[in-house]
Amino acid sequence: MEFSVKVIGRVHSPLRDRAMAPKQGEEGSPPALLVFDPGVRDALSSIKVGDRLLLFTWLDRAERDVLRVHPRDDRTQPLHGVFSTRSPDRPNPIGLHRVTVVSIPDALRLQVRDLEALDQTPIIDVKATLAGLSE
Amino acid sequence: MEFSVKVIGRVHSPLRDRAMAPKQGEEGSPPALLVFDPGVRDALSSIKVGDRLLLFTWLDRAERDVLRVHPRDDRTQPLHGVFSTRSPDRPNPIGLHRVTVVSIPDALRLQVRDLEALDQTPIIDVKATLAGLSE
């Protein structure tokens, strides 16, 4: 059984390929711009500068038939089931990123920091973080 | 543009409808069983009892055309854009749940606690939590 996930925006970032990208957002990510489709304008309306958000992306350059990986691409480590890792390669390549809003150039664009996603990565959801919870 | 998200398992829970469900997993959720499809067996192979995992679901009883909500269904609060909330109603109704593995009855089943998802909710991904990061 399958569901259809809609692309609601795109990441604009200087990161062009996986070799350039840090493994996690806080490991040296450059600033990025999130550009949303006009259809989701109202869903963005309460976001403020300084907000910490969860950004969900669709990692369209990942491999969907990989079930086991070497964690962090370190071949000295044994193979792990992907569900015990943060590997982008997995059956549904959903990316989860914690970002902070740096500026809001207009109603459809958010500048954020700490985002390791590649340029043109599709955005599929945004959620509030839950205070005090480590997700 | 759209992508196809595959259902990789189902939640089994005594929670049958949204009126019964707590707003967040730690607000009184009953134990739940995650039942996975045989095709993802290898992806589950490194999960151990006690692991804290991020569970991604597809909230198939949510409304996808809702862009603004009263937070926590409290009508005394002003309408918020859904991307500043954890409402299940949103363009792509992805659920994010932090769960702890209580037991592993067999290679395709995990018993977990702190899950507020409804019975039969489709599972779409599982990830490791990142130590020390509040997502």
Side-chain angles (χ1 to χ4, degrees):
Chain A
M1 187 174 177
E2 301 189 345
F3 293 98
S4 175
V5 60
K6 301 179 227 179
V7 175
I8 60 169
R10 296 268 176 182
V11 171
H12 291 231
S13 167
L15 297 172
R16 302 285 176 192
D17 59 52
R18 281 172 67 166
M20 288 178 71
K23 296 297 180 203
Q24 299 300 334
E26 295 190 339
E27 297 177 5
S29 298
L33 190 67
L34 310 182
V35 181
F36 291 88
D37 295 343
V40 298
R41 184 189 309 262
D42 286 351
L44 295 160
S45 60
S46 305
I47 294 174
K48 300 180 301 297
V49 170
D51 282 357
R52 302 181 80 204
L53 298 171
L54 296 180
L55 177 71
F56 293 69
T57 60
W58 189 265
L59 303 169
D60 56 348
R61 277 151 282 187
E63 296 179 33
R64 301 186 66 171
D65 56 355
V66 170
L67 297 178
R68 299 202 302 161
V69 294
H70 296 285
R72 297 179 66 96
D73 289 334
D74 177 354
R75 296 191 164 270
T76 67
Q77 291 198 45
L79 280 168
H80 273 53
V82 291
F83 293 161
S84 296
T85 77
R86 297 290 281 232
S87 169
D89 300 321
R90 53 185 59 243
N92 291 307
I94 296 169
L96 176 64
H97 320 270
R98 200 164 31 93
V99 300
T100 301
V101 179
V102 173
S103 71
I104 304 180
D106 61 47
L108 294 175
R109 293 191 298 165
L110 303 175
Q111 193 178 13
V112 300
R113 60 178 162 79
D114 302 330
L115 178 59
E116 78 284 16
L118 302 182
D119 190 47
Q120 294 303 314
T121 297
I123 298 170
I124 59 174
D125 198 12
V126 180
K127 294 187 199 296
T129 54
L130 295 179
L133 292 188
S134 161
E135 290 161 338
Chain B
M1 187 175 178
E2 301 188 344
F3 294 99
S4 175
V5 60
K6 301 179 227 180
V7 175
I8 60 170
R10 295 269 175 180
V11 171
H12 292 230
S13 169
L15 297 172
R16 302 284 177 193
D17 59 51
R18 282 173 66 166
M20 288 177 70
K23 296 296 180 201
Q24 299 300 334
E26 295 190 341
E27 297 177 3
S29 298
L33 190 67
L34 310 181
V35 181
F36 291 88
D37 295 342
V40 298
R41 185 188 308 263
D42 285 351
L44 294 161
S45 60
S46 304
I47 294 175
K48 300 180 302 295
V49 170
D51 281 357
R52 302 181 80 205
L53 299 171
L54 296 180
L55 176 71
F56 294 69
T57 60
W58 188 265
L59 303 169
D60 56 349
R61 278 151 280 187
E63 295 179 33
R64 301 186 66 172
D65 56 355
V66 170
L67 298 177
R68 299 204 300 161
V69 294
H70 296 285
R72 296 179 66 97
D73 289 333
D74 178 354
R75 294 189 166 269
T76 66
Q77 292 198 44
L79 280 167
H80 272 54
V82 290
F83 293 161
S84 295
T85 76
R86 298 291 280 233
S87 170
D89 300 320
R90 51 185 59 244
N92 291 306
I94 297 168
L96 176 64
H97 320 269
R98 201 164 31 93
V99 300
T100 302
V101 179
V102 173
S103 72
I104 304 180
D106 61 47
L108 293 176
R109 293 190 298 164
L110 303 175
Q111 193 179 12
V112 299
R113 61 177 162 79
D114 302 331
L115 179 59
E116 78 284 15
L118 302 183
D119 189 48
Q120 294 302 316
T121 298
I123 298 171
I124 59 174
D125 197 12
V126 180
K127 293 187 199 298
T129 53
L130 294 178
L133 292 188
S134 162
E135 290 160 338

